[in-house]
Amino acid sequence: ICMNRNIFISIVAIIVLCSACDSDNVYDEIKPNVYYEVKSGFQPYSDDTVKVIIDTLSFSYKGKTITAPYSCVNGSINILNDYAANIFESLKNKKDVAILVDKVNYITFFDNYDEMYSNIYKKSSWIVTRSTVNKEYIKNFELRVWRDSKGRKNGGPYLGWFSNGTQGEKSPEPLYVNQPFLNSHSMDNAISSCQMWVEKATNNSFVTVGLSDGQYPHATVTFYENANYSGRSLSLTEMSINYEYSEVDYFSSLGFNDLTSSIKVVYDNNL
């Protein structure tokens, strides 16, 4: 009888553990897709025309900013100053580095994601309040990633998420995409370029001066080196009611080509 009782307890324990594992999978892999449709496919290849851009790039670390000229060939940045180029390479390869692309041609490096969050987002949230006169917010959001470094322009396999509007008169829920989901679509350690769209709406409520709870004018997309949203990270912050479309090929230049194992999209007031 004791033996049977022990066997029964063991079976129950295994079931509980399996249920816990399933719960984790539900949170990371299924729950986000309640609010987002997923689509994947193959975009036909187009003309592989070489495009060269000459411009100026600014990047900062620990309060010090360096500005240098660079050339860009099909999205790959080549800094044309040896001193600046060496520092740039050193920073982007730091362990757990958090890279913030705040606006076009401006990049900030932090020692880790937590430091980036506390220095950028928390300080901004002190300034921005609900009393703002802004009445526009992000109604829907779409993110598409490509396996090829020039896939966005020239075609190839892609994977995308777009909010389906089921949240009502609010911004979409945050999107969490963990390693198992990317792996199931052959996109783990394979993302090399991305594209983003924003659909905005207006809060027509006469009750609130600005935006209502759950309405946000800004979005941040973060690509993480490891599963479970850890390791080095690349955050793109340009998407907002003022910047509704973005084409990003920073992955190769910032050391993130074929590196992403998890993705997070969050919405906030940091306009």
Side-chain angles (χ1 to χ4, degrees), residues 137-140 170-172 198-199 216-219 240-241 267:
Y137 64 94
I138 295 176
K139 172 66 174 178
N140 282 305
K170 295 182 179 181
S171 297
V198 159
E199 176 192 346
Y216 301 102
H218 178 261
S240 72
I241 56 172
Y267 304 89

Side-chain angles (χ1 to χ4, degrees), residues 171-184:
S171 297
E173 293 289 325
L175 171 65
Y176 298 90
V177 184
N178 214 337
Q179 185 180 38
F181 188 87
L182 292 176
N183 188 53
S184 69

Side-chain angles (χ1 to χ4, degrees), residues 29-41 142-145 158-164 175-177 181-182 184-185 187:
E29 314 308 335
I30 299 176
K31 183 179 178 181
N33 296 342
V34 172
Y35 307 103
Y36 292 84
E37 303 294 334
V38 177
K39 56 184 177 182
S40 60
E142 180 172 356
L143 169 66
R144 184 178 294 188
V145 297
Y158 69 85
L159 175 63
W161 302 263
F162 61 97
S163 58
N164 51 29
L175 171 65
Y176 298 90
V177 184
F181 188 87
L182 292 176
S184 69
H185 287 78
M187 283 292 182

